[in-house]
Amino acid sequence: MPADAAVGCAPGGRARAFSLCTALCQPGQTNWTLATGRLGEALALLRIGLASDREGLQRAARTALAEAVDGWGRGSRENTGLFTGFAGFAFVLAEFADVDARYSNSFERAAAEFAATVRAALPGLEQLPAMASDRVRDLFDGTVGWLCCSLRLRRTARGTLHRDLDRLTGDLVRFLATPHGTTPVAAHLLPTDESHASAWYRELYGTAHTPLGVAHGAAGTLAALSLAVLEGFDLPGLSDAVRHIALWFIEHRSRDTFGDYWLAALGHDARTGRTVRDPRHTVPASWCKGTTGICGALALAAAAAGDMPELRPLASAALHAELSRQAAGWTGQEGLCHGRAGIGLVLSRTALLLNDEVLAAARDVLTQVTCRTTGTDESSENDRSLLTGAAGFALALSEPLTDPTLSWPRLFALA
């Protein structure tokens, strides 16, 4: 069966999604964010309700969204991030507004506020010195997430708001594609001591490092810029930036007995200016910072940069190699962020871009495994979050992830 025909949910997926909804329908969640709180649960309930045509779940989604708005209003309103702040509200409201006209006005207000806030913040970010912060070019709560959000919002917006979001998208593309005084990859170079990196980064890369992943690294920038190209943006420096980052990933891959792969980060030697590899810095297959997510970004770049035919076979071969590593011994988790559910999401979306039926079949296998194992780990039994818990599982299992019309995968910089 060709990949573009594999549009059904994996066996048992939707039933498992329904069983996870019991927890999501319950109140009591004090966290409101998209990543770990009520907002992520609202998105999952909405999509599951639509996929199943169950009004009860759609009512639960509306209740969860109202509780998230209430929690946000009573807490800190300063964060504008996609997974951790206000951009997430605008994104989720777009999903609601597309299917329920009652949310149109709320969406328009949120999208306009998002656009105005980000536009006001960008000049200050452009003045930051090099290596200033590891959250500036970041999918979770930085400019990469803003770009993914802006691309999603403009699909729902109309009239003046659509034009404002187009201009904002252009501003974000220019910020990421043509950073002042450096290159799109070099802009990700971070001082290890001042970053959010774990303590063991300091042992591996004592001075500085370049994170490679989608959630917090250069692959996220590559994916978001590629999405901008695929959605019709043709701005000075954009195509060159996609090619530059893609070539950089080609040049900085590693290799083992299974095939090509990428480390989680590369170090930086201040004396020579060269990158430093430490083979201890491998990570389990994941969307957030592993080879799987990077391959998803390379597949998007292959679609965006038609003159780089080497990208498509590289992304496909590296994904197959990663599946072989998993078969040899899985040590990861189960969630969307850094587990099997996220791998299934990447495989499903990437199979469409690569027209690779083996990857589409692998997605079904991973989904079935996730259906069997989710909830068996006592440490995660009460996790309702989008990134690592029930909301993310339910979202991934309830819908045919190879459906090209889905818009919520843009949360993960996937087309």
Side-chain angles (χ1 to χ4, degrees), residues 41-233:
E41 295 173 13
L43 175 62
L45 286 167
L46 173 71
R47 298 308 314 179
I48 299 162
L50 292 171
S52 62
D53 196 26
R54 296 192 180 187
E55 176 58 31
L57 292 181
Q58 295 178 49
R59 285 197 302 271
R62 294 192 289 270
T63 298
L65 179 60
E67 291 174 355
V69 172
D70 181 62
W72 176 73
R74 289 184 285 103
S76 172
R77 300 165 63 103
E78 296 178 358
N79 192 315
T80 55
L82 179 58
F83 278 90
T84 57
F86 183 70
F89 271 116
F91 192 107
V92 173
L93 280 169
E95 292 287 311
F96 274 78
D98 278 349
V99 298
D100 191 335
R102 288 174 291 184
Y103 290 94
S104 296
N105 290 338
S106 296
F107 160 73
E108 290 175 1
R109 289 195 299 270
E113 181 178 342
F114 164 77
T117 302
V118 171
R119 188 175 296 111
L122 269 178
L125 297 182
E126 292 170 346
Q127 300 304 315
L128 287 174
M131 298 172 61
S133 169
D134 63 345
R135 297 292 176 167
V136 171
R137 291 170 175 81
D138 184 272
L139 178 63
F140 273 27
D141 50 15
T143 50
V144 172
W146 289 349
L147 177 53
C148 290
C149 183
S150 185
L151 288 168
R152 168 64 187 93
L153 300 186
R154 61 187 292 275
R155 295 170 64 89
T156 301
R158 298 290 182 269
T160 301
L161 179 58
H162 188 279
R163 291 192 292 273
D164 287 346
L165 289 166
D166 272 356
R167 287 194 293 272
L168 176 63
T169 300
D171 291 341
L172 289 165
V173 164
R174 282 185 284 273
F175 176 84
L176 292 167
T178 57
H180 180 69
T182 185
T183 68
V185 173
H188 282 276
L189 182 65
L190 305 172
T192 298
D193 288 343
E194 299 177 20
S195 76
H196 286 72
S198 302
W200 65 287
Y201 272 60
R202 298 181 183 89
E203 178 186 348
L204 300 180
Y205 311 122
T207 303
H209 66 279
T210 301
L212 306 189
V214 174
H216 307 293
T221 296
L222 176 61
L225 292 177
S226 298
L227 284 172
V229 173
L230 294 174
E231 297 207 6
F233 286 87

Side-chain angles (χ1 to χ4, degrees), residues 9 17 34 37 40 42 76 90 93 111-112 117 122 153 165 191 200 236 248 255 269 295 341-342 408 414:
C9 294
L34 183 58
S76 172
L93 280 169
T117 302
L122 269 178
L153 300 186
L165 289 166
W200 65 287
W248 190 90
R255 190 169 181 83
D269 187 331
C295 286
W408 65 259
L414 292 166

